[in-house]
Amino acid sequence: MSRKRLSDALSASKDLETVVITDSADIQHPHQLQDEFLNNPTTKYYQSEPNLHQDSSGEPRASVTRCRSLPTTRVPKANIINKTGTALERWGIYSMAYKQGDGDELAVGFGSGAISLYNARNGKIIREMVPGYMHGFATMALVYTKDKRHIISTSAGGNVSLWKAYESKHEPALAVYEEKNEVNALDICKDGSFFATAGKDRCVRVYDVKNFERCSMSRIPDFETMDDADRLMGHTKRVFAVRFHPQENNIFLTGGWDNCVKIWDKRVMRAARKSLSGPHICGKSIDVTGNTILTGSWTAKNALQLWDMRMGRVTTSLPYIRHNVYHGDFIYCAKFANSTTVLAGGSGTNGVCTINVATETVKSEIDLDKPCYAIDSCSEGKVAVIGGLCNNIVQARI
């Protein structure tokens, strides 16, 4: 089959799930099919998997599996508002949080342990809250408190700290130390009175914001002897995400390397209320709204999924942008920008895309040249900020 006929077959089959090319004389390897995709500059494919197989006559045939939401035009780039470069010695961006409301301020946590505040309108730095040399461990997570004048942060060194955002002192107002732990995840409840942390030691802890005292903690199961009942006790591997329900003050979710997401009630920490099997969580990639849970897995396929919280099962697998057939999804961070839009990023394409939940299509993308570790949104999901190993803080209209 000629190159032109192959291109024609791909173009003519845009509404089909599979293209089957019967004459494989000119197709010696699936890479040739990849070339056809890459040589079309007006198309980007969410998923495409060329493979060679034999038909009933024993002749080799080439097929290209298409995703249902395959676009026929290039996914538009998001409108960049500003891009702020940071020093290389910051060692990348690991956490970000808008001061909710009008989104005029942004807190950023770096791999060096530094925490800085930025003017979200123009991208200029307001002040350096925490110099990186003070701790030297990455600031893995941070959140604004309810009064918006304090910031809680966690570090890979085991520190959980409360900072006064607008004072010149570089020492925390309150702090606790989780011994032999890397505190990867943090979130605060709806009314701002409690927050939860989790990390390397697999234990989920709940703290009182006012006194910075631990109120409760989960048990750690023995994964070698655990039975079905023990699966609700806690995680068996590192935890990388904690997310409180935005409408339910006591309910929160956690996820990590043990391929499950657990639903907790902070009033009863003896065991999780439910465990969802499947998601491989490697960053802040769990969110929830109403009875819908969003998970972003560090996997090549079907990484973005929507779950029914009551039934505990997947309802939808959302598409994710791929620039060629060898790019996987590999999500590090994901969240609901609003009720109709999901924002997700990772290391598959080193960027972020926005997905329309209703139509299950990719709306736009934001490119980075290195993996994306942190995202947030404000202005009712109309503005997003992203960061990662590229050391740039990028804000865009989505």
Side-chain angles (χ1 to χ4, degrees), residues 189-200:
C189 69
K190 176 186 175 183
D191 68 6
S193 59
F194 295 88
F195 67 93
T197 67
K200 178 183 177 180

Side-chain angles (χ1 to χ4, degrees), residues 9-19 66-68 70 72:
L10 291 171
S11 300
S13 60
K14 62 185 178 182
D15 296 326
L16 301 178
E17 291 293 325
T18 303
V19 182
R66 292 182 179 272
C67 179
R68 174 168 53 84
L70 182 71
T72 57

Side-chain angles (χ1 to χ4, degrees), residues 46-47 67 69 304 317-321 329 353 355 360-362:
Y46 294 161
Q47 292 188 38
C67 179
S69 54
L304 279 174
S317 289
L318 297 174
Y320 192 74
I321 196 72
D329 297 349
C353 67
I355 302 105
E360 299 177 27
T361 56
V362 176

